[in-house]
Amino acid sequence: MNNKIGRFGAGRAMHLASCIALAVGLSACGEAEKPNTSTASSTSQTVLQDSAASNSIDVWPALKPALPRNEQVESHIADLLARMTLEEKVGQMMQAEIKFITPEEVKQYHIGSILNGGGTFPNNDKFATPDDWRQLADDYFAASMDTSDGGVAIPIIWGSDAVHGHNNVIGATLFPHNIGLGAARDPELIRRIGEATAREVAVTGVDWTFAPTIAVVRDDRWGRTFESYSEDPEIVAAYAREMIKGIQGDKSSEEFLDGHHLVSAAKHFVGDGGTTRGIDRGDTEVSEKELAEIHAAGYITALESGVQSVMASFNSWNGKRLHGHKYLLTDVLKERLGFDGFVVGDWNGHRFVDGCTVDSCAQAVNAGLDIFMITAEWKALLKNTIAQAQSGEIPMNRIDDAVSRILRVKIRAGLFERDRPLAGKNGILGSDEHRAIAREAVRKSLVLLKNNDQLLPVDAGKNILVAGDGADNISKQSGGWTISWQGTGNTAEDFPGATSIYTGIKQAVDAAGGEAVLSVDGEIKEDTFSNNAKPDVAIVIYGEEPYAEWHGDIASIEYQLGSKADQELLQKLKAQNIPVVSVFLSGRPLWVNKELNLSDAFVAAWLPGSEGAGVADVLLTDADGNKRHDFTGQLSFTWPGQVHQTVINRNDVEYQPLFAYGYGLDYTSDTQVANNLNEDGESYVDGKLEDAWLMVSRPRAPWKLYIEEEGSDLQWVNGNLASSADDNIVVASIDMLSQEDARALTWKGLRAGSVVLHTQKPQDLSRYLAEASALTMEVRVDEMPTASVSAQINCDGSDCSGALPLQNTLSKLPVGEWAEVSIDLQCFAEAGADFTKVSQGLSLHSKGKLTMAVANIKFVPGAREQAQVRCGS
Ligand code: BGC
Ligand code: BGC
């Protein structure tokens, strides 16, 4: 296994087919022509060739289908197939989103499946009741069975992301996200959670959950790290087996898919957790052996448990997209691993396959995709896929195979009978019984990282200050995939029946005769406590804000890179000699040395979900001062001690974590953690300063993008499209190699203005200057500038900004093609930039018209020599 720190460090190749290494002479600082300056290393090319040369099927176990062939089911399939038209067959292969399709259209086009994406609700109503959900499910079902216009009745199947409980539905039990469950190390608990989740989903008439995610996450910068049980295949494999049993029921019992148990989807096949630099939907550059043994470990056990669907992943394996990967989808998954259910695509994921568009992708079907997950463009995709079957571009036997698989699952799941024993039993949703399981999971997921002088458990009879913006914040403790897709925009009213961490503490303290007071900002007044005394202890609850998918990708694992609000809060309490317990809410391990140094005790609480009382169950004693529950959680992810340790995993050759995989204290431990952990946040790999990424796919924290124009207000670029007030400057997300991984910048020339990567807290980047770095970026000029353009590195004050003319450099680039541009940082310094307090990491300023695109903006140590734009120094 080759996965030690720094494996994908500086100089990692981007295989940008159209990225040409340019010898643009230049320059802004008047230097002579430089030789060809590709910074690409050959590493990824090597991997590519290796894997292309020979696939080695024998690294995968040969599995038999999990369920024995059932002749009755197979003849039912054959009978249906024989009666279906091509249009009906292809209709089965479409999964449309409920925002984009009506029941009437399901009937008309014989659509086989629907989904609700994150943040989509029946009637567009966030507060849709369980009855509203069920009614809509009934309407779609009735439409699918309505043969009044001819055709064969095939029940529709509705899928939903019930990834930590039935999380799209108000009032559902929200279990801890997978990362917390991983720490619980309790496969039996996982099975009960799967079972409870399936029951809550069944109440609403939904048939299928897009869960579990069985990614094995290797780089904690990935925005979906929290959806993963562990960085190690051991836990993921054990949990996948049980989660599938929980959701679908035991395959060899009567409970299998009995309506209390539903269809499950193992996702995302395969390698989603292994992408280089943790980029969502990126490229997993590993050997086939590593793919099979690490990333696919959960699929083996999920298949053994009889999982009925597998979701293809957005990512590529060594440059080739999974949605179009015949070898992995067909040769490996369906043949070698004996999978007889269906493969569903991910959200328009087929469109990234070479040669495909969102509405046309024969390649995916031919590779083995059985159902397209398709949003707005489902009609066009349906039409094109039918045409491709007619022309023979997609062989008929492939269509028949796909439809057989879909029908097989629908028959097994009893959808033809539509016998739904739980539909409408609304009391099951968020029931006490299910909440008790979630609360148990919260208790078991907590990992005690530090407990100096055995500060914990806290005596519940004392004065307890509860601080931090995560204390009374169910939205924050629940993370992404909670009611909305990103988990943002929710308030306390959106969580009926849920308990915040503070409320749980207060209940326990009240019961024990102590006093708990909430003070989010940590302010303490004389009369904060009724006995006018100081707090005996402060419990401070803080951490990451919710995010999902690529919105959560980060460049640095330093916690609160841009702001230091929580450190200041901890400091304020420490300064008053109040013992501090940190309860850290996060979707991944982060570099928190500073926060650890400021805490006497530190608990990793992950994203516990709706049952915040589980935290108090462990942290606080009973009235007699006795512990109630001990800590049992153990890290399922290695905790980093250095800010560059983004890819640090159990069994690494060089393994120097702060807290190793498996670590977790309990009340019998007397381990003291030093209070002077290294606070140098600079990022080194093998002793070398790491690249500083300002933008990769999206601006990386602490950097944010805005548009600045003379005479008008700043416009922040938050979504994928933004423009200045007068529409003169437009910034739009576009695709370079993957979805929205680049920005198109347009200046219409009405007036001068800039597009800026800004940080609120000025950054000291002088190390980069000292280490002979260059600013590098991918650039595509679509329309040459009509007036002067500059690249600038600026600070907030005067006399500390440096601007370099860029027009000349741009004018030498080939129009419409991506190319790398690199500029010696020294040039900015010579032009006046003060690198000790940079607030604009890059500002692109144009006086006239210009249309260009940029991507991958970074400072690369040691790249000065090869920079195209050089200056004397
Ligand atoms: C995600 C999947 C999810 C699907 C439907 C995709 O963007 O990658 O995990 O199941 O959307 O919401
Ligand atoms: C997500 C969906 C979400 C959608 C919003 C997708 O990538 O998977 O669940 O609703 O984006 O645009």
Side-chain angles (χ1 to χ4, degrees):
M1 209 162 48
N2 176 12
N3 55 351
K4 64 184 199 311
I5 301 164
R7 170 150 184 234
F8 297 135
R12 183 71 173 163
M14 272 198 25
H15 30 241
L16 235 194
S18 55
C19 171
I20 42 168
L22 270 189
V24 188
L26 154 355
S27 64
C29 323
E31 264 263 356
E33 285 236 344
K34 285 287 159 228
N36 187 314
T37 59
S38 168
T39 52
S41 83
S42 59
T43 330
S44 64
Q45 264 78 13
T46 314
V47 173
L48 263 175
Q49 280 159 9
D50 286 353
S51 71
S54 58
N55 288 318
S56 33
I57 196 92
D58 48 304
V59 302
W60 304 86
L63 302 182
K64 285 211 210 43
L67 299 171
R69 188 179 156 91
N70 178 325
E71 291 311 332
Q72 226 175 322
V73 171
E74 297 306 315
S75 65
H76 190 178
I77 296 170
D79 169 60
L80 292 167
L81 262 190
R83 292 189 286 128
M84 290 166 80
T85 62
L86 177 61
E87 286 71 15
E88 288 177 281
K89 289 177 181 174
V90 178
Q92 286 299 310
M93 299 170 66
M94 300 288 139
Q95 178 177 58
E97 215 268 357
I98 60 170
K99 253 189 310 213
F100 301 99
I101 190 164
T102 61
E104 189 47 40
E105 288 170 319
V106 163
K107 171 183 163 195
Q108 192 185 341
Y109 294 92
H110 310 286
I111 297 303
S113 177
I114 47 168
L115 84 148
N116 62 295
T120 305
F121 315 100
N123 318 315
N124 248 325
D125 174 12
K126 177 175 182 178
F127 293 95
T129 63
D131 286 334
D132 295 333
W133 284 83
R134 193 177 38 76
Q135 184 59 54
L136 188 60
D138 284 347
D139 293 348
Y140 280 117
F141 174 74
S144 70
M145 300 301 277
D146 181 344
T147 53
S148 55
D149 56 356
V152 186
I154 313 270
I156 196 154
I157 184 167
W158 180 340
S160 184
D161 294 288
V163 299
H164 66 135
H166 198 8
N167 44 254
N168 291 290
V169 181
I170 299 260
T173 307
L174 299 172
F175 296 91
H177 271 295
N178 288 353
I179 192 166
L181 299 181
R185 306 295 181 92
D186 186 344
E188 186 271 334
L189 169 67
I190 297 311
R191 180 165 175 178
R192 284 186 284 134
I193 291 175
E195 202 144 41
T197 304
R199 287 163 56 80
E200 298 209 4
V201 173
V203 167
T204 58
V206 171
D207 316 289
W208 169 25
T209 168
F210 301 139
T213 297
I214 50 177
V216 178
V217 177
R218 310 299 281 176
D219 188 324
D220 301 344
R221 290 172 292 187
W222 189 33
R224 304 189 79 156
T225 301
F226 69 86
E227 295 186 56
S228 164
Y229 297 123
S230 177
E231 69 188 22
D232 191 86
E234 181 181 59
I235 296 176
V236 177
Y239 274 22
R241 185 188 299 286
E242 294 305 316
M243 188 50 112
I244 304 298
K245 272 191 207 155
I247 295 171
Q248 296 194 156
D250 189 323
K251 67 174 185 188
S252 46
S253 77
E254 288 290 300
E255 65 177 34
F256 188 62
L257 302 176
D258 63 356
H260 297 246
H261 300 87
L262 307 176
V263 176
S264 161
K267 73 185 187 185
H268 312 79
F269 187 80
V270 59
D272 50 352
T275 60
T276 301
R277 281 198 302 277
I279 293 175
D280 192 42
R281 308 180 170 192
D283 191 12
T284 298
E285 298 167 282
V286 300
S287 68
E288 187 166 355
K289 192 165 156 48
E290 190 168 332
L291 191 72
E293 289 176 1
I294 296 197
H295 297 284
Y299 291 91
I300 310 303
T301 52
L303 288 166
E304 286 170 351
S305 282
V307 70
Q308 292 296 295
S309 73
V310 170
M311 190 182 290
S313 191
F314 276 115
N315 65 273
S316 307
W317 176 46
N318 294 329
K320 191 168 161 80
R321 290 280 174 190
L322 256 297
H323 276 69
H325 215 298
K326 181 159 191 292
Y327 174 69
L328 289 174
L329 296 184
T330 298
D331 302 0
V332 172
L333 177 61
K334 291 180 173 174
E335 286 165 14
R336 180 81 174 177
L337 302 178
F339 176 55
D340 69 1
F342 62 76
V343 176
V344 62
D346 202 346
W347 187 276
N348 292 337
H350 55 275
R351 77 180 173 105
F352 301 113
V353 174
D354 271 350
C356 288
T357 56
V358 72
D359 60 10
S360 172
C361 192
Q363 293 90 321
V365 179
N366 288 338
L369 191 83
D370 302 310
I371 298 185
F372 286 107
M373 189 188 285
I374 168 83
T375 57
E377 294 83 359
W378 64 267
K379 272 186 201 161
L381 181 68
L382 175 68
K383 190 166 155 254
N384 290 330
T385 310
I386 292 170
Q388 286 153 353
Q390 279 161 343
S391 75
E393 192 179 348
I394 302 175
M396 245 348 263
N397 61 5
R398 179 69 268 276
I399 300 277
D400 284 345
D401 172 57
V403 178
S404 300
R405 289 168 175 276
I406 297 163
L407 294 174
R408 186 174 297 125
V409 174
K410 289 182 173 183
I411 295 169
R412 283 176 178 162
L415 301 185
F416 283 83
E417 294 84 48
R418 194 61 172 173
D419 177 18
R420 297 174 306 149
L422 300 185
K425 299 204 168 149
N426 299 350
I428 292 173
L429 199 94
S431 67
D432 290 347
E433 193 195 337
H434 291 172
R435 290 187 189 278
I437 300 173
R439 184 166 169 173
E440 173 189 347
V442 174
R443 288 197 293 268
K444 291 181 170 173
S445 68
L446 304 174
V447 183
L448 182 59
L449 298 182
K450 176 175 182 179
N451 193 22
N452 283 7
D453 304 321
Q454 290 171 309
L455 176 60
L456 290 174
V458 167
D459 185 338
K462 294 275 171 68
N463 280 353
I464 298 169
L465 188 81
V466 185
D469 67 2
D472 197 22
N473 191 337
I474 299 171
S475 169
K476 187 158 177 156
Q477 77 193 33
S478 300
W481 296 109
T482 300
I483 308 176
S484 64
W485 176 36
Q486 293 294 317
T488 49
N490 300 320
T491 62
E493 291 82 76
D494 301 331
F495 299 98
T499 307
S500 74
I501 297 174
Y502 162 68
T503 303
I505 293 173
K506 180 149 173 52
Q507 284 163 357
V509 173
D510 285 351
E515 190 174 1
V517 176
L518 177 67
S519 167
V520 170
D521 62 6
E523 271 315 303
I524 305 162
K525 303 207 188 75
E526 203 143 294
D527 59 354
T528 293
F529 289 89
S530 45
N531 62 3
N532 291 348
K534 267 188 23 175
D536 295 301
V537 64
I539 302 180
V540 190
I541 304 154
Y542 56 95
E544 288 188 299
E545 294 300 331
Y547 51 79
E549 301 192 47
W550 65 89
H551 292 254
D553 287 0
I554 48 175
S556 166
I557 55 165
E558 178 169 359
Y559 176 61
Q560 281 204 337
L561 194 48
S563 124
K564 294 293 166 233
D566 292 325
Q567 276 169 37
E568 283 158 17
L569 172 58
L570 300 175
Q571 249 147 11
K572 179 159 91 180
L573 296 165
K574 290 294 287 178
Q576 300 168 71
N577 287 321
I578 301 167
V580 170
V581 179
S582 281
V583 175
F584 189 58
L585 299 171
S586 72
R588 52 192 147 208
L590 287 169
W591 187 68
V592 287
N593 283 8
K594 295 169 189 170
E595 289 77 10
L596 276 162
N597 287 342
L598 291 165
S599 308
D600 301 283
F602 194 103
V603 178
W606 316 109
L607 299 167
S610 62
E611 305 314 306
V615 175
D617 288 346
V618 185
L619 267 60
L620 298 181
T621 68
D622 62 14
D624 302 322
N626 298 319
K627 71 165 191 233
R628 294 182 297 151
H629 293 272
D630 204 340
F631 283 90
T632 56
Q634 297 175 7
L635 291 177
S636 65
F637 278 81
T638 301
W639 201 284
Q642 313 279 337
V643 76
H644 69 260
Q645 290 176 324
T646 54
V647 192
I648 178 167
N649 296 302
R650 181 191 194 198
N651 298 331
D652 283 354
V653 179
E654 287 162 41
Y655 187 60
Q656 290 175 321
L658 181 60
F659 303 118
Y661 175 92
Y663 177 94
L665 305 176
D666 64 20
Y667 287 145
T668 65
S669 347
D670 54 9
T671 304
Q672 293 285 114
V673 173
N675 289 323
N676 61 350
L677 301 175
N678 149 50
E679 296 194 1
D680 171 6
E682 275 182 306
S683 191
Y684 297 90
V685 174
D686 300 335
K688 262 188 61 201
L689 192 62
E690 229 194 354
D691 296 359
W693 288 84
L694 278 61
M695 192 169 96
V696 49
S697 296
R698 292 153 284 284
R700 288 315 185 89
W703 305 101
K704 287 189 166 174
L705 206 55
Y706 66 63
I707 301 170
E708 186 176 27
E709 199 177 71
E710 284 160 22
S712 50
D713 291 342
L714 289 185
Q715 294 293 329
W716 290 96
V717 182
N718 292 319
N720 45 21
L721 185 66
S723 53
S724 55
D726 58 359
D727 227 22
N728 176 39
I729 304 177
V730 181
V731 177
S733 301
I734 56 162
D735 302 350
M736 180 177 66
L737 289 178
S738 63
Q739 190 187 19
E740 299 182 354
D741 61 347
R743 292 291 179 284
L745 318 176
T746 309
W747 283 261
K748 294 185 183 149
L750 304 180
R751 62 179 101 184
S754 315
V755 176
V756 182
L757 275 164
H758 175 268
T759 165
Q760 210 184 349
K761 184 172 188 280
Q763 302 284 302
D764 182 354
L765 297 174
S766 46
R767 269 315 285 265
Y768 286 88
L769 193 59
E771 300 228 1
S773 308
L775 166 87
T776 73
M777 55 188 163
E778 308 302 327
V779 173
R780 191 186 73 197
V781 180
D782 296 310
E783 260 184 86
M784 284 295 172
T786 58
S788 69
V789 180
S790 64
Q792 312 179 1
I793 291 180
N794 297 327
C795 78
D796 286 332
S798 53
D799 285 342
C800 48
S801 295
L804 302 176
L806 194 65
Q807 205 184 338
N808 201 11
T809 309
L810 297 183
S811 70
K812 296 196 171 104
L813 300 180
V815 173
E817 282 177 49
W818 285 102
E820 189 181 90
V821 166
S822 58
I823 308 173
D824 180 359
L825 281 192
Q826 183 66 33
C827 308
F828 292 101
E830 286 177 17
D834 181 346
F835 276 81
T836 64
K837 46 178 180 176
V838 174
S839 58
Q840 300 194 345
L842 178 65
S843 166
L844 292 171
H845 181 264
S846 175
K847 285 220 164 96
K849 275 199 197 171
L850 166 64
T851 311
M852 65 185 283
V854 289
N856 292 339
I857 303 174
K858 57 187 193 288
F859 292 174
V860 183
R864 165 180 299 164
E865 287 302 316
Q866 293 91 42
Q868 297 146 0
V869 182
R870 298 289 313 272
C871 47
S873 54

